[in-house]
C-alpha cells in the first residue's frame, strides 16, 4: 500500500476512535512523530560516543553515581502532567 492510502486509512480509523480515547491516541501519534526526528540529532548525540572511554573505572563509577543523584534531585517535587498523579 502506498503511504497516501495508509494515511487515508489511518485518518478513517482515527475518526472512529471514541472521544474518551482520543487523548491516548494523540500521545501515541505524537510519540511516533518525535521518534522520526532528522538524523542531525542522532549525529550530534553520537558525536559524544566514547567520550568517557579513557576515564579510569573508579572515576567513571563516581561519575555515574553523581549523574544518578542529580537526576533524582531534579525529579523531586515534579508533577507529572496528564498522568493523574499529583
Amino acid at each position: 500500500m502506498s503511504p497516501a492510502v495508509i494515511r487515508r486509512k489511518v485518518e478513517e480509523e482515527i475518526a472512529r476512535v471514541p472521544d474518551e480515547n482520543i487523548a491516548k491516541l494523540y500521545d501515541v501519534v505524537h510519540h511516533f512523530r518525535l521518534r522520526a526526528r532528522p538524523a542531525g540529532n542522532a549525529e550530534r548525540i553520537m558525536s559524544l560516543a566514547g567520550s568517557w572511554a579513557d576515564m579510569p573505572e573508579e572515576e567513571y563509577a563516581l561519575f555515574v553515581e553523581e549523574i544518578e543523584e542529580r537526576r533524582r534531585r531534579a525529579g523531586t517535587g515534579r508533577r507529572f502532567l496528564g498522568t493523574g498523579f499529583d
Side-chain angles (χ1 to χ4, degrees), residues 14-72:
I14 289 171
R16 295 184 184 117
V17 172
D19 288 345
E20 62 268 11
N21 292 328
I22 203 72
K24 293 176 189 175
L25 180 60
Y26 170 79
D27 290 341
V28 171
V29 172
H30 185 70
H31 173 77
F32 275 102
R33 186 181 62 79
L34 291 179
R35 286 184 54 200
R37 288 186 176 173
N41 283 342
E43 290 170 6
R44 193 174 75 237
I45 291 168
M46 288 306 293
S47 72
L48 300 173
S51 295
W52 300 281
D54 59 349
M55 186 182 288
E57 202 162 319
E58 254 181 65
E59 193 175 327
Y60 180 76
L62 291 172
F63 172 73
V64 170
E65 283 179 33
E66 166 118 7
I67 296 296
E68 289 171 351
E69 177 59 28
R70 287 180 184 212
R71 287 179 179 166
R72 273 192 294 277

